[in-house]
Amino acid sequence: MSAPQQSDVLIIGGGIMGCASAFFLRQRGLSVTLLETDLVGRQASGTNFGNVRRQGRPLYQLPLANRASAIWRKARELLETDVEYLQRGHMRVCYRDRPDIAAKMESYAVEAAQSDLDLEMLSGNALRDRFPFLGPEVMAASLSAQCGHANPRLAGPAFARAAQRLGAAIHENCKAVSASRDGIDFHVVTDDGRSFRAPTLLVTAGAWAKAFVEGFGETVPLTSRGPNMCVTEPLPYAIGPSIGVATPETVESVYFRQVARGNLVIGGSIQNQTFPEQYRVYVNPANSLGQWRQMQRLFPAIARVNIIRTWSGIESYLPDDQPVMGPSGSVSGLFYAFGFSGAGFQLGPGVGETMAELIATGSTDIDLSPYRIGRFAEG
């Protein structure tokens, strides 16, 4: 085994959470080493829909989402590269058979305004005039003009490169197989025999975080699912906001966005089975066909469009659909940020800045109590 490599902070997991944390930790002057089993941003952070949305989140999560949005808006300057962030809005729609959902959207808009999220409610002719392509079942919509979308395949690696320019050590194809507390330091060993030490450990390992959590004597009911994704042939650019269906029915929950090149990126509906031990997930054709049928309810003209690629990834989920984020409940110097339940991409930069603030100063203005890991031990 080689001599241990020492740093101030050691990060396990190179998705957008880990890479953004490394970047902001370096901005604060702490030395950082990040270990990624595969390539940075290749798992959930690179295979998701790319939504940069705030609406639809719990109200207590909006301060974190707002912090993230401020970073997304300056991402090109901050990261010195284009992550294809487009601030074209985000819109949730509901169908005519669910007037209760429309009422909830109205109520949410009033409450969210107190957290600096301005939502415009649309229905009737006003909705049809602005979005004539929506299907006849669509009854109402909630539009957030200050949200948007970005390219998930670019964002995680962009944060990693920016962190490297500031001096972070990013190790790809470097699988952490054990993590322990050894005196004042954490000691992490990789599958190729390398050894790393730091007084602070941050676990951002997504669907693979559970083994590390349990290794430190804590418990977390983490599971994984695979998003069902596809992209169409390019069309003339005309859509603007990313659009999704607000519904309690998983099968109906489709969403789409149009990139600058004209392609439509589509996600939602039934998810795929994952095999995290093998780092594999397979797209179920039945899920794709069901998703396509639901998309035709939302956007009937799409029936004449060709799909050119499908894919999936491995996302981590928790029973309450809220992440674990913040300090360990039992081990000093140990921190977590994982389990974002399919809704973490937009939050990623804000999570990184918040975790860096917490690690560097011992506190943060963001309320992390809803995300404490102890909530699962408490039942």
Side-chain angles (χ1 to χ4, degrees):
M1 183 180 293
S2 61
Q5 300 179 43
Q6 185 79 35
S7 59
D8 294 327
V9 183
L10 188 55
I11 300 174
I12 300 177
I16 192 170
M17 308 297 172
C19 293
S21 296
F23 173 75
F24 287 110
L25 283 163
R26 282 302 302 140
Q27 278 200 331
R28 289 178 172 271
L30 297 178
S31 60
V32 180
T33 299
L34 182 148
L35 311 179
E36 165 54 39
T37 297
D38 200 332
L39 300 177
V40 293
R42 188 167 178 176
Q43 296 296 333
S45 295
T47 57
N48 65 84
F49 177 67
N51 226 351
V52 182
R53 68 162 176 90
R54 291 177 293 160
Q55 68 167 322
R57 299 185 180 279
L59 294 171
Y60 60 74
Q61 197 175 87
L62 289 179
L64 179 60
N66 291 344
R67 169 175 276 192
S69 288
I71 300 170
W72 280 112
R73 293 186 189 114
K74 59 184 181 182
R76 184 193 289 264
E77 175 186 357
L78 191 69
L79 304 177
E80 300 180 18
T81 190
D82 182 15
V83 295
E84 297 181 5
Y85 171 66
L86 296 176
Q87 190 169 302
R88 302 291 169 80
H90 172 266
M91 189 164 73
R92 304 179 81 210
V93 305
C94 64
Y95 291 136
R96 294 185 183 281
D97 61 350
R98 293 306 302 262
D100 57 316
I101 300 295
K104 289 179 181 178
M105 289 166 58
E106 292 269 8
S107 176
Y108 181 86
V110 173
E111 295 175 315
Q114 300 175 38
S115 297
D116 298 321
L117 175 55
D118 295 323
L119 300 174
E120 180 183 6
M121 301 303 301
L122 297 167
S123 61
N125 291 338
L127 178 61
R128 299 294 163 186
D129 289 346
R130 288 174 62 176
F131 303 99
F133 54 81
L134 292 173
E137 293 183 65
V138 175
M139 177 179 70
S142 171
L143 176 64
S144 171
Q146 300 303 312
C147 292
H149 51 87
N151 189 334
R153 296 180 68 186
L154 300 179
F159 272 104
R161 292 193 303 271
Q164 282 181 307
R165 286 194 296 271
L166 294 179
I170 308 291
H171 297 273
E172 296 180 304
N173 298 307
C174 185
K175 182 179 181 179
V177 294
S178 69
S180 60
R181 186 72 179 269
D182 181 8
I184 64 170
D185 280 344
F186 292 91
H187 184 207
V188 175
V189 178
T190 64
D191 60 353
D192 58 2
R194 282 180 282 179
S195 179
F196 301 86
R197 299 179 70 92
T200 300
L201 176 63
L202 171 60
V203 177
T204 55
W208 297 271
K210 186 175 182 178
F212 299 106
V213 171
E214 292 180 342
F216 287 105
E218 296 184 283
T219 183
V220 62
L222 192 70
T223 58
S224 63
R225 305 176 207 162
N228 205 71
M229 304 295 305
C230 72
V231 63
T232 73
E233 62 186 315
L235 305 168
Y237 188 88
I239 302 300
S242 54
I243 300 173
V245 180
T247 172
E249 303 299 328
T250 300
V251 68
E252 294 180 339
S253 61
V254 292
Y255 38 80
F256 72 99
R257 63 186 177 93
Q258 187 173 32
V259 302
R261 293 177 295 278
N263 311 74
L264 300 181
V265 180
I266 299 167
S269 197
I270 304 299
Q271 295 165 307
N272 296 298
Q273 183 179 4
T274 62
F275 303 88
E277 296 80 8
Q278 291 80 43
Y279 294 85
R280 298 292 297 178
V281 57
Y282 303 92
V283 173
N284 185 333
N287 292 346
S288 296
L289 291 172
Q291 180 188 70
W292 195 244
R293 286 191 292 270
Q294 291 296 324
M295 273 300 303
Q296 291 176 62
R297 293 178 64 191
L298 178 60
F299 185 8
I302 205 170
R304 300 190 295 271
V305 178
N306 293 313
I307 295 174
I308 61 174
R309 185 168 71 90
T310 63
W311 72 93
S312 188
I314 302 177
E315 297 178 333
S316 59
Y317 282 79
L318 289 164
D320 56 5
D321 288 330
Q322 295 304 307
V324 167
M325 182 179 169
S328 160
S330 59
V331 181
S332 177
L334 176 61
F335 297 86
Y336 301 124
F338 63 83
F340 286 83
S341 304
F345 181 70
Q346 187 273 345
L347 296 174
V351 171
E353 189 173 60
T354 299
M355 295 309 298
E357 179 184 37
L358 178 62
I359 290 169
T361 71
S363 64
T364 175
D365 292 336
I366 301 296
D367 180 13
L368 299 181
S369 61
Y371 317 124
R372 67 191 189 285
I373 192 167
R375 70 188 192 268
F376 299 110
E378 297 163 2

